[in-house]
Amino acid sequence: MAFSLLSGNEAVAWGAVAAGCRFFAGYPITPATTIFETMLELLPPLGGVCLQAEDEIASIGACLGASMAGLKVMTATSGPGLSLYSEHLSFAVGSEIPLVIVNVQRLGPSTGSATRGADGDVQFMRWGGSGGLPVIVLAPVDARDCFLLTWHAFNLAEEYRCPVFIASNKEIGLTRESVDLESLPRPPIIDRTPPPSGRPFLPFEVSPDRMTPYFLPIGGRVLVRQTSSTHGPDGYITTNHEEIARSQDRLEKKLTTAVSRFTFYEEYLEKKAETLILCYGVTARAAKDACRKLKAQGRPVSLLILKTLWPIPEDLIKEKTRGAKRVVVVEMNLGQMVGEIRRVLPDKQIDFLGQMDGRLIPPARIEAVVSRVRPAE
């Protein structure tokens, strides 16, 4: 085994390059900058491009252009930069442009605390573009996840032709730990599907057995039409309500009907447990420790760690909580996923532990909530 001492941000960069990323554009921002720095080391020797743009808007715009030309692309930022991504994110959704966005979350709102972590952008990533159409959001727990989920993010962006978020945060992104990259399972690399030969190419035409269009790059021998406005299969702007409705319905269903195919999670289910802790991100580390301590005290508690946040994996949540009478949702915010859990599990008792003050949630606070005692401050 060959262990590497990697931060989560470095692991993201290595995962991106392994998955075929050859273009990165970004703008320095704490705590995401080391992704940019690592890509600057990795891409040029491979013939790739690492660009520092003049701001975050230009960064994601450059990524969209490179993606339309056929490259696998990634950008990385934190909360203030994510705000500036909004319009180009909408463009990527509506025009089906593959893109991986790493959001190394920090305490907000606005500039917030640049050196303190939080998970305050969970709803923002889902609803940050106009139109309300879904995106994919994956949430790593550690550096190992950062490598693997970034690889999966590229595959999903290519397969479903959509933006995919990596919802990291400061604690994951800047913490170094040992990772044996050589032993990690590596999924097959997925690329965009070119059109079948022998027929005219329409950039947004979808065949009966597919939910995403075929792909040809802009700038090649075949004319490829692209627009950010509502469009028909030929790429021309349309105001036809039936054509628009078909397109919008497909853009939603291509992800929501397929979420079971990219539902990533960890589970630690105890047969006699009446309580299940549900969490994601770095908080899962404290939750694991709390569960171990509670089990040692003769009070077993189950644990479900979500690594796919959006589209929300409703079937998984219902299945894994079936035996629990009570679900405790733990988040490094004031309550973002807990509302969805209450919607998915209307017949369960849902308790919530939230914290958003720049500190990690310690295992003792989780134990206290599970045990129904007043959490220590």
Side-chain angles (χ1 to χ4, degrees), residues 81-307:
L82 183 62
S83 302
L84 297 175
Y85 281 178
S86 183
E87 173 52 25
H88 280 321
L89 173 63
S90 304
F91 183 15
V93 171
S95 294
E96 300 180 85
I97 304 169
L99 168 69
V100 174
I101 303 169
V102 188
N103 179 20
V104 189
Q105 298 168 89
R106 71 193 204 191
L107 183 66
S110 190
T111 305
S113 294
T115 59
R116 295 291 184 268
D119 287 328
D121 303 340
V122 170
Q123 291 285 348
F124 189 20
M125 284 180 278
R126 167 61 182 90
W127 301 104
S130 58
L133 290 166
V135 296
I136 298 173
V137 179
L138 307 180
V141 170
D142 51 24
R144 179 183 185 277
D145 275 353
C146 285
F147 181 90
L148 288 175
L149 290 181
T150 301
W151 187 311
H152 284 297
F154 275 94
N155 279 349
L156 292 170
E158 295 285 306
E159 182 175 1
Y160 295 101
R161 286 190 56 177
C162 66
V164 179
F165 281 96
I166 300 294
S168 183
N169 74 11
K170 176 258 174 181
E171 309 299 343
I172 297 169
L174 298 185
T175 298
R176 276 202 165 92
E177 51 195 323
S178 295
V179 184
D180 183 7
L181 294 179
E182 294 181 3
S183 70
L184 295 183
R186 303 196 175 202
I189 290 178
I190 295 175
D191 298 313
R192 283 163 254 186
T193 306
S197 59
R199 56 179 297 177
F201 174 67
L202 297 178
F204 296 101
E205 183 181 39
V206 178
S207 61
D209 59 336
R210 291 174 54 85
M211 290 288 280
T212 54
Y214 295 107
F215 175 82
L216 283 178
I218 282 179
R221 295 184 178 182
V222 177
L223 176 66
V224 178
R225 190 173 293 105
Q226 185 63 275
T227 176
S228 62
S229 298
T230 51
H231 49 266
D234 56 7
Y236 281 107
I237 295 174
T238 183
T239 57
N240 181 290
H241 66 275
E242 292 181 350
E243 202 164 48
I244 292 172
R246 282 195 297 270
S247 177
Q248 303 281 47
D249 186 60
R250 179 180 61 79
L251 288 173
E252 179 181 27
K253 288 184 176 177
K254 74 175 182 179
L255 297 184
T256 57
T257 61
V259 65
S260 62
R261 296 187 56 200
F262 51 85
T263 295
F264 303 106
Y265 65 97
E266 286 183 51
E267 61 177 346
Y268 304 90
L269 303 183
E270 298 287 342
K271 291 182 179 180
K272 297 182 180 181
E274 295 186 350
T275 298
L276 178 141
I277 299 171
L278 189 150
C279 60
Y280 55 90
V282 71
T283 305
R285 299 187 181 205
K288 286 181 182 179
D289 191 59
C291 287
R292 282 193 294 265
K293 291 177 179 177
L294 288 166
K295 185 175 181 179
Q297 297 166 16
R299 295 180 292 168
V301 175
S302 294
L303 174 62
L304 176 62
I305 303 167
L306 296 182
K307 298 185 181 181

Side-chain angles (χ1 to χ4, degrees), residues 61-77:
C63 286
L64 295 186
S67 182
M68 286 187 283
L71 293 177
K72 293 186 179 183
V73 306
M74 183 173 78
T75 186
T77 191

